[in-house]
Structures are given as C-alpha cells and as structure tokens.
Amino acid sequence: MINATQLRKGMTIKLEDNLYRVLEVQHLTPGNKHGMIITKLRNLKDGTQMEYKFRSKDRVERPYLEKVEMEYLYEKDGLFVFANTETWEELYIDREVLGDSIYYLVPNVRFSVEMFEGKPVGIEPPRTVDLKVISTEPYLKGATQASNNKPATLETGLVISVPFFIEEGDIVRIDTEENTYIERV
C-alpha cells in the first residue's frame, strides 16, 4: 500500500479488484481544504478509461508485478514481439499495453516487462535510449534565437526539444522518464 500522494504516471494500481494503469496525475490543494489527487486511469482488463479522485490521506494498493527482462525484436501485424533474455521465448504485446513506451522501441533494446498472473500489463523502458533524428530544422549560422532549442522528430515518432546544433541523422540520447534530450551520441 502507498499513499495516494505517491501516485505517478505509468504506475499500476489495484482498485475495486481491478488493475489500472495511471495515465495522468494532478495534485490539488485548494486553500484551506484537504488536498486531492485527481487521476486518469485505464482498466487493464477492458481498456476503458475513467477519472478517479483520491483524498491525500487515502492509501492505494500496488499489486505485485513480476518483472521479466525482455529484448524488443520487431513489430508484426500490430503486435510487438519481445524475447525473454533467458529462455528466448517470444511474447507478443498489444500496442495498448505499451502506452507511451512505444516511442522507445528500438530493436535489441532490453525492457522490463511487467507481468500479472502470467500476462503482460506494461513495460518499463531503460532509463536512457539512443534514437536517430529523422527531421529537424537546419542550423542557421549567426541566427539569434530566444531559445537555443528546436523541435526534432526521432525515428520512433517521438518529438523532443534538442539544442540548435543537432542535425538530421544525428543519434541523440534521451531520458525516458522525462522525454528530454541528454546528449548527442
């Protein structure tokens, strides 16, 4: 059990005998009243979404999820194929289970796949991933900007803000928790 104030995007919780993935978390502390945590949850069984409000003093159950290290291989017919790194047994995972982690799927990258009662319910990407920049604005020498950053689209479709010197074809390392640029590789 954890306090509702510890809820974070991507967590899996058990509520009313169902498993839910936390999609959004917003903490509200209105004036002289008790704080509230407003969450957007997705039911892992049927895929429905709902909004749920917790009081700051509420406790939330976190189910035990077995974590299995797997390597992403490829996509086939809308399913994403992972291989267990110990047995090399393949596992097919639906796009809905992956959520935003889909932007980090690069062949041969290892992920921690969360299993509940033998079924995948989510994946945890590595802390950093190296991705290729497929489109960004060209660097204009001598041009001044209010910001030294520009948007860049990466090979997986993720759009992040990168420094002005990054060009198409560069490989960049990104932080998967914050979706931010770390360095050019």
Side-chain angles (χ1 to χ4, degrees), residues 148-167:
N148 288 339
N149 290 331
K150 61 183 180 178
T153 304
L154 307 178
E155 63 186 295
T156 59
L158 180 65
V159 177
I160 64 168
S161 182
V162 298
F164 62 90
F165 57 82
I166 298 295
E167 299 175 357

Side-chain angles (χ1 to χ4, degrees), residues 30-97:
N32 60 353
K33 298 185 180 185
H34 295 289
M36 295 181 67
I37 292 85
I38 300 173
T39 60
K40 187 173 185 181
L41 306 172
R42 185 179 74 228
N43 188 316
L44 295 180
K45 185 180 275 185
D46 60 18
T48 58
Q49 293 184 12
M50 69 176 196
E51 192 172 280
Y52 195 89
K53 295 177 184 176
F54 294 95
R55 295 175 296 175
S56 58
K57 63 182 179 180
D58 286 346
R59 309 247 323 132
V60 181
E61 183 179 351
R62 291 215 46 204
Y64 171 73
L65 299 175
E66 179 184 0
K67 293 190 178 192
V68 180
E69 187 172 307
M70 295 197 164
E71 187 173 306
Y72 172 66
L73 301 177
Y74 58 90
E75 179 184 2
K76 180 181 181 183
D77 300 327
L79 295 174
F80 297 84
V81 183
F82 290 79
N84 185 315
T85 57
E86 292 179 12
T87 64
W88 293 107
E89 182 179 327
E90 290 186 353
L91 177 68
Y92 293 83
I93 301 179
D94 191 313
R95 178 180 296 270
E96 275 195 18
V97 172

Side-chain angles (χ1 to χ4, degrees), residues 100 103-104 131 134 152-160 174-175 179-180:
D100 289 341
Y103 293 118
Y104 312 117
L131 297 171
I134 58 166
T153 304
L154 307 178
E155 63 186 295
T156 59
L158 180 65
V159 177
I160 64 168
I174 61 167
D175 179 332
N179 279 345
T180 55

Side-chain angles (χ1 to χ4, degrees), residues 119 130 146:
K119 296 179 184 173
D130 297 343

